[in-house]
Amino acid sequence: MIDPRAEVHPSAELDSSVEVGPFSVIGANVKIGAGTRIGPHVVISGPTEIGRENRIFQFSSIGEEPQDTSYRGEPTRLVIGDRNVIRESVTLHRGTEKGLGETVIGHDNLIMAYVHIAHDCTIGSKIIFSNATSLAGHVEIQDHATLGGFTLVHQFCRVGTFAFTSMGAALNRDLPPYCLASGNYARLIGINKVGLKRNGFSNEAIQALHRVFIQGMRGRAGRESHLDTMFEETDVPEVRNLIGFVRGSRRGILRGGRPH
């Protein structure tokens, strides 16, 4: 299952079912789970742990040192879950000692060509990263988010569950769950109604989220008291999740634009 033209370090731990294509290099302290397929010309550096049934395409660089000037060779790591698709020329970097110490990627993600995920990022599951999306360090992306092509995310920002960004969006603040963002710099433009419907959310939940956006998130004056009142008055889990995310933001929330 390992092409004779590939180079695998003696300390690497590969399940017997792992496939490695020609001219790929698997370094020291790399562990790869069953059923994972690695294409040609892939470089995987350790410490890195990769789960089961992932597919990694050609020219990707996985688990390389972080692009951080304070990094001095500490033994940080990259952890990747199961069933991820990592397309051509993706770069995924390990963590830093001053950060989390690791970069973590969940399960069932589609990471398209030329995506960059920097050090100390925490990535959930069932996320779509469209082509050339770039995340700076310490970014958190929650489950089911979709980032459009060429999306840029500033360090320490968070993107909530089922959030969506348009092509070329540049996020310099947090994007709350279930919301749409567009522009450079990005602004909130509404609730991700199409995505929520496709994923089985009820009309009642979508309408409740829309009311929160219109009444509590577009403006800045009185936002906190408005949202606090809504949080106490609602029993809709999605609304409570959205408001809880906003209340817990450290970088602040993207400013609201014209809704649709």
Side-chain angles (χ1 to χ4, degrees):
M1 307 295 280
I2 299 176
D3 190 282
R5 293 164 293 180
E7 181 180 326
V8 179
H9 193 277
S11 72
E13 299 179 33
L14 278 61
D15 184 88
S16 60
S17 62
V18 171
E19 298 179 18
V20 181
F23 309 111
S24 286
V25 179
I26 313 298
N29 302 313
V30 172
K31 183 177 181 179
I32 304 177
T36 291
R37 293 183 289 165
I38 299 165
H41 298 280
V42 173
V43 177
I44 303 180
S45 304
T48 291
E49 182 174 335
I50 300 173
R52 302 170 61 91
E53 300 175 14
N54 294 282
R55 189 171 182 196
I56 303 174
F57 284 73
Q58 56 267 26
F59 308 116
S60 293
S61 175
I62 310 297
E64 194 48 83
E65 293 182 0
Q67 296 179 139
D68 187 304
T69 56
S70 68
Y71 182 73
R72 296 292 183 271
E74 299 87 358
T76 57
R77 66 177 188 156
L78 168 67
V79 179
I80 299 174
D82 303 330
R83 299 176 303 279
N84 295 286
V85 176
I86 300 171
R87 294 301 306 243
E88 299 85 349
S89 301
V90 166
T91 54
L92 309 176
H93 288 174
R94 303 197 305 270
T96 62
E97 191 175 59
K98 69 177 183 180
L100 299 173
E102 61 183 12
T103 300
V104 178
I105 297 172
H107 312 295
D108 302 296
N109 297 299
L110 173 55
I111 305 175
M112 296 187 190
Y114 300 102
V115 167
H116 173 66
I117 297 177
H119 58 87
D120 302 294
C121 286
T122 302
I123 308 301
S125 299
K126 298 185 178 180
I127 297 163
I128 296 175
F129 295 94
S130 298
N131 293 328
T133 291
S134 291
L135 311 184
H138 312 276
V139 166
E140 176 189 348
I141 310 292
Q142 296 182 357
D143 297 349
H144 299 280
T146 298
L147 276 61
F150 296 90
T151 292
L152 306 175
V153 185
H154 194 281
Q155 61 186 6
F156 295 102
C157 285
R158 298 183 299 154
V159 175
T161 184
F162 289 101
F164 185 97
T165 66
S166 68
M167 177 182 65
L171 278 59
N172 64 341
R173 298 182 184 183
D174 292 349
L175 169 57
Y178 320 113
C179 290
L180 294 168
S182 181
N184 187 352
Y185 286 113
R187 299 178 72 88
L188 295 176
I189 59 173
I191 296 299
N192 183 18
K193 295 178 183 177
V194 173
L196 297 180
K197 288 179 180 177
R198 288 176 177 172
N199 284 277
F201 285 77
S202 68
N203 288 330
E204 292 75 15
I206 295 172
Q207 291 169 5
L209 289 167
H210 182 69
R211 285 194 297 272
V212 172
F213 181 83
I214 295 296
Q215 298 174 16
M217 297 186 64
R218 278 195 295 169
R220 298 183 65 80
R223 173 191 280 178
E224 291 185 9
S225 59
H226 229 30
L227 292 177
D228 287 345
T229 299
M230 291 180 180
F231 185 88
E232 297 302 326
E233 293 179 350
T234 187
D235 59 356
V236 179
E238 293 84 0
V239 170
R240 295 180 70 88
N241 184 35
L242 188 156
I243 295 174
F245 182 100
V246 172
R247 292 163 79 179
S249 175
R250 295 184 178 182
R251 281 197 61 84
I253 300 300
L254 294 172
R255 295 182 181 181
R258 181 177 62 85
H260 68 266

